[in-house]
């Protein structure tokens, strides 16, 4: 499994993810929820922009 992960996500990115998750775990539950909610909104917005760029209609 780790070999597969290494082909998809670089070691540097894996370390950044581990650091991010470690930081999240130190935060109070409410703060963690806000950060993750904002991250989800950012990803959705990014996905919409990508779809628009590919000529897809976004509903």
């Amino acid at each position: 499994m780790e070999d597969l992960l290494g082909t998809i996500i670089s070691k540097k990115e894996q370390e950044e993810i581990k650091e991010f998750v470690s930081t999240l775990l130190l935060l109070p539950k409410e703060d963690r929820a806000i950060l993750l909610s904002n991250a989800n909104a950012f990803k959705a917005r990014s996905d919409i922009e990508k779809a628009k760029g590919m000529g897809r209609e976004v509903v």
Side-chain angles (χ1 to χ4, degrees):
M1 179 68 135
E2 196 169 309
D3 292 336
L4 177 60
L5 187 60
T7 61
I8 299 170
I9 301 173
S10 72
K11 291 287 184 191
K12 183 180 180 202
E13 289 172 319
Q14 289 179 39
E15 288 303 316
E16 290 174 359
I17 292 167
K18 287 178 188 176
E19 184 178 333
F20 178 72
V21 170
S22 296
T23 302
L24 279 178
L25 292 174
L26 296 175
L27 296 173
K29 190 177 188 178
E30 295 81 10
D31 292 343
R32 209 170 33 228
I34 291 168
L35 282 173
L36 293 173
S37 175
N38 287 341
N40 285 333
F42 179 77
K43 174 142 178 27
R45 184 175 175 191
S46 175
D47 291 346
I48 290 169
E49 291 302 316
K50 282 182 191 175
K52 283 182 180 178
M54 297 173 86
R56 293 187 195 161
E57 185 177 331
V58 179
V59 181

